[in-house]
Amino acid sequence: MKQNKKGTNRSSAKFRVLALKSEDSTVNRLEDLLNLDITPYTDKIIAEYIWIGGTGIDMRSKSKTISKPVEHPSELPKWNYDGSSTGQAPGEDSEVILYPQAIFKDPFRGGNNILVICDTYTPAGEPIPTNKRHRAAEIFSNSKVSAEVPWFGIEQEYTLLQQNVKWPLGWPVGAYPGPQGPYYCGAGADKSFGRDIADAHYKACLYAGINISGTNGEVMPGQWEYQVGPSVGIDAGDHIWCSRYLLERITEQAGVVLSLDPKPIEGDWNGAGCHTNYSTKSMREEGGYETIKKAILNLSLRHKEHISAYGEGNERRLTGKHETASIDSFSWGVANRGCSIRVGRETEKQGKGYLEDRRPASNMDPYVVTSLLAETTILWEPTLEAEALAAQKLALNV
């Protein structure tokens, strides 16, 4: 009986080990296939067509096999999708057409596979209402705008949330961490939450060909920022949207939720913005400070138009506290992060450079914000009377 008992134990232990090995080998085989390099075996590639959904902030994508590697969007076919499932078309006429507009390397599939930023049209070729890229491309192709070579540097802030409770990463569930102060650009397990996600995203952007220029931990714990630029014209919007898609995919893999809400936690916590640094050729040349002041003047006169286009829920963020200006009034200042428009000390000193629009929310549409800045500062002309009154109010001698 003792021998039988020992034999039973030995058999049971062996079964458990075999079961574990079987699970591990299944995972390994899946990873092997996901990492498989198909380049030596076929000329075909996978193109991930990406577009913006019906909310104006959600991102959608689906995959298409292309017969050979491509270098330009014009080599790719148009495609379509069911717009009734994304809130962009009625069920009885649901087809929306995807026009490939920009290509990036795919860091998830590697090889010659690509990510394709698309915009959206009716079968008749008309841009659908959520297609903000079309109008932006029209503005940036205007001869007066293109001659000014508009540069943009966009600071995208975002918040990482725990998947099941929708509470910031690193925060005690249903409770709060210590007050803000040690978290901004901080290091350490009690100060930095989600660095692996931020670093993975940084490398994925560089691999894809996105013009990412840096990243840092933000003031609120669980909140991060990365910067894209300088980018010229429509490229700024394409690069930001693709970088957001990469971040969605990386957080998906990590089991963390990405939030672009401009004020994810109410109370004495910083919101999330998308500060947009902007300059034109005239601003960057000698005497450019006068052009910057003229641009600020125009921006002051169209404050309401800009605010209405700078992101949903922005009124919860632009309170005049936590490094923001009040949503109800326009202001500017040198090195002042509590203003609508900030001008850097170096720009003032050099007499040329750029301005920073601190009003856009983290969920803003970069196509809308960048093209509106160009339109207001290059194409739009106020009346002389309005200009004089605004200059006096803002103490701008233009």
Side-chain angles (χ1 to χ4, degrees), residues 140-195:
F140 287 122
S141 63
N142 182 288
S143 58
K144 284 186 70 176
V145 175
S146 59
E148 283 289 350
V149 195
W151 285 6
F152 300 93
I154 299 177
E155 305 170 23
Q156 176 69 68
E157 294 179 347
Y158 62 93
T159 308
L160 299 174
L161 304 178
Q162 302 169 53
Q163 185 172 6
N164 295 326
V165 294
K166 301 296 191 295
W167 198 239
L169 195 66
W171 290 37
V173 176
Y176 297 88
Q180 295 180 157
Y183 310 109
Y184 173 70
C185 297
D190 59 340
K191 294 180 282 294
S192 178
F193 312 114
R195 186 185 298 277

Side-chain angles (χ1 to χ4, degrees), residues 292-294 296-297 300 332 390-398:
I292 291 171
K293 290 195 291 184
K294 175 63 166 64
I296 292 171
L297 196 64
S300 73
W332 80 282
Q392 185 178 15
K393 182 178 179 181
L394 296 172
L396 284 168
N397 298 315
V398 179

Side-chain angles (χ1 to χ4, degrees), residues 64 82 186 203 265 305 320 336 343 384:
K64 188 176 186 66
D82 172 18
K203 286 191 173 182
I265 303 295
E305 289 89 338
N336 187 342
V343 175
L384 291 176

Side-chain angles (χ1 to χ4, degrees), residues 110-128:
N112 292 319
N113 302 303
I114 55 175
L115 305 175
V116 185
I117 297 295
C118 305
D119 59 355
T120 45
Y121 296 81
T122 67
E126 294 296 320
I128 67 172

Side-chain angles (χ1 to χ4, degrees), residues 357-376:
D357 192 340
R358 298 180 58 81
R359 296 170 295 174
S362 51
N363 59 3
M364 63 82 151
D365 187 327
Y367 294 135
V368 173
V369 170
T370 57
S371 61
L372 189 54
L373 279 168
E375 182 184 43
T376 295

